[in-house]
Amino acid sequence: NAGVTQTPKFQVLKTGQSMTLQCAQDMNHEYMSWYRQDPGMGLRLIHYSVGAGITDQGEVPNGYNVSRSTTEDFPLRLLSAAPSQTSVYFCASADRGSSTYNEQFFGPGTRLTVL
Amino acid sequence: AQSVTQLDSQVPVFEEAPVELRCNYSSSVSVYLFWYVQYPNQGLQLLLKYLSGSTLVKGINGFEAEFNKSQTSFHLRKPSVHISDTAEYFCAVSYNTDKLIFGTGTRLQVFP
């Protein structure tokens, strides 16, 4: 299994540009989520999904859109990039089928710079 | 509000010395606790987790943590650190939901 994969690894955007960060998992996990990591702030939840067709907002959703058309993919869209969105973005997935809390598996991250 | 506090942003230590990284969470009846490690320019890797049962949890790379409900703490310990343990460590909590709440991280720097 490849686990959780993210593309691209690095991206530079100009203010106002749009782009999509890709996330895919091959573990048949129902739960997927996006976090951003900023110095001194830990990881903050942007959006999450508990299954195909179901998404919800996390702690910092403004400026980001998501959709979940398949179990495997959970893309994150920046509609109009701003310098405040310069960050490292992590995607994670978890299996909601077990009876205990479900460990989240993280991708390698995408480092985004907005000029 | 539900929160996780890692009081130490940086912890410098010499190789082979013991280390403790502190984590406190806001009180709740039901809680799951995690420690993740992030090596430079990499993603997060689970070190250990507490879901239920024994309050002393052992993880990978010789790390362990103790769940203390009365003090709402989940401190991470290692009796003897190595240079390779240099990384950032994140404590995280789930209050019986799908969401993980992360602390701000502790950077462990091990010196020879």
Side-chain angles (χ1 to χ4, degrees), chain A residues 41-115:
Chain A
M41 303 190 75
L43 278 76
R44 292 179 292 169
L45 183 64
I46 304 171
H47 285 285
Y48 67 101
S49 168
V50 298
I54 307 169
T55 63
D56 205 349
Q57 296 181 350
E59 181 185 358
V60 288
N62 293 339
Y64 308 95
N65 276 0
V66 292
S67 60
R68 184 96 178 269
S69 57
T70 67
T71 299
E72 294 78 20
D73 301 296
F74 190 44
L76 178 72
R77 298 183 186 86
L78 283 68
L79 303 177
S80 178
S84 61
Q85 294 178 304
T86 294
S87 187
V88 181
Y89 292 85
F90 288 101
C91 179
S93 74
D95 177 9
R96 301 182 79 236
S98 61
S99 59
T100 57
Y101 184 81
N102 308 296
E103 174 186 345
Q104 292 197 25
F105 295 85
F106 285 80
T110 293
R111 186 175 296 273
L112 175 67
T113 301
V114 182
L115 303 176

Side-chain angles (χ1 to χ4, degrees), chain B residues 44-61:
Chain B
L44 276 72
Q45 180 183 1
L46 183 68
L47 266 181
L48 50 79
K49 59 187 177 185
Y50 171 80
L51 303 180
S52 64
S54 173
T55 57
L56 183 62
V57 180
K58 294 189 182 298
I60 61 172
N61 301 339

